[in-house]
Amino acid sequence: MPTPLSEAHEIGFDYRDGAGVDFEPYPEFLDASETAEWWRSWTGNGELDGSEFRVFGQDGTGGLAAFWLVRPGEPVERQPVVFLGSEGETGVVAQNVWAYLWLLADGFGPWEATEYPDHEHEPRVDARLTEIAQRWAPSHRRSAGEVISAAREEFPGFDEIIGSLCR
């Protein structure tokens, strides 16, 4: 697990009865067999193994947050962060770990970013997460809306790619 991600996730998230961040980070990446089992179940496609994802957490309903290994030869920190929801929601939420840190600092988790701007989320800037983002990614500072928009613009076909894998 990248150190900046571990540090940010150690802080924890305030659910605030549904108005906050619904995210439960894992202490380490989901192992390959668990990822494959989930991916096959989620897509209904037994031929897939989900090896293009490094899962690092979930929301309260079991939707998963992961790095999508779409940039060949690049380390996991430079891969986009995506969300694959338990009800079929999908979205690219940040272009890399540094953008993801600023998303968290601005009061958004992966699910909230996927549902942005339609979710009735009440984001609150978190000073502790802001300090972590400032330390690890000072030149990447953007608002959550800017992080989400940039990720969607870079990967406009993500939903269709994932949809094409489902049976």
Side-chain angles (χ1 to χ4, degrees):
M1 190 77 65
T3 302
L5 188 67
S6 294
E7 277 189 33
H9 287 171
E10 284 176 13
I11 298 293
F13 299 93
D14 185 4
Y15 181 63
R16 294 192 341 264
D17 294 322
V21 175
D22 181 6
F23 187 59
E24 302 165 18
Y26 300 155
E28 55 192 38
F29 289 122
L30 200 62
D31 72 38
S33 65
E34 290 175 302
T35 299
E37 181 181 330
W38 181 85
W39 188 236
R40 289 173 182 145
S41 175
W42 194 83
T43 62
N45 188 337
E47 298 173 17
L48 303 174
D49 65 5
S51 60
E52 65 272 31
F53 299 100
R54 292 295 174 271
V55 178
F56 61 81
Q58 69 178 46
D59 72 350
T61 66
L64 299 182
F67 287 103
W68 179 32
L69 307 180
V70 69
R71 294 183 174 125
E74 292 289 336
V76 71
E77 296 89 351
R78 294 185 186 272
Q79 303 292 344
V81 174
V82 300
F83 182 75
L84 303 159
S86 63
E87 302 298 319
E89 313 93 324
T90 60
V92 181
V93 302
Q95 293 173 298
N96 52 48
V97 73
W98 301 284
Y100 177 72
L101 293 175
W102 286 108
L103 181 79
L104 297 178
D106 217 19
F108 283 75
W111 182 82
E112 292 79 18
T114 299
E115 295 301 307
Y116 177 81
D118 300 322
H119 175 53
E120 294 179 17
H121 174 60
E122 299 170 10
R124 288 187 187 163
V125 173
D126 187 305
R128 300 165 303 162
L129 290 168
T130 300
E131 187 276 322
I132 290 169
Q134 183 61 40
R135 187 163 20 90
W136 287 101
S139 64
H140 296 271
R141 186 175 198 141
R142 289 185 284 181
S143 70
E146 292 168 327
V147 168
I148 296 163
S149 292
R152 290 178 180 174
E153 286 173 18
E154 184 175 356
F155 300 99
F158 179 72
D159 295 338
E160 290 77 24
I161 291 168
I162 299 303
S164 72
L165 299 173
C166 297
R167 292 193 172 162

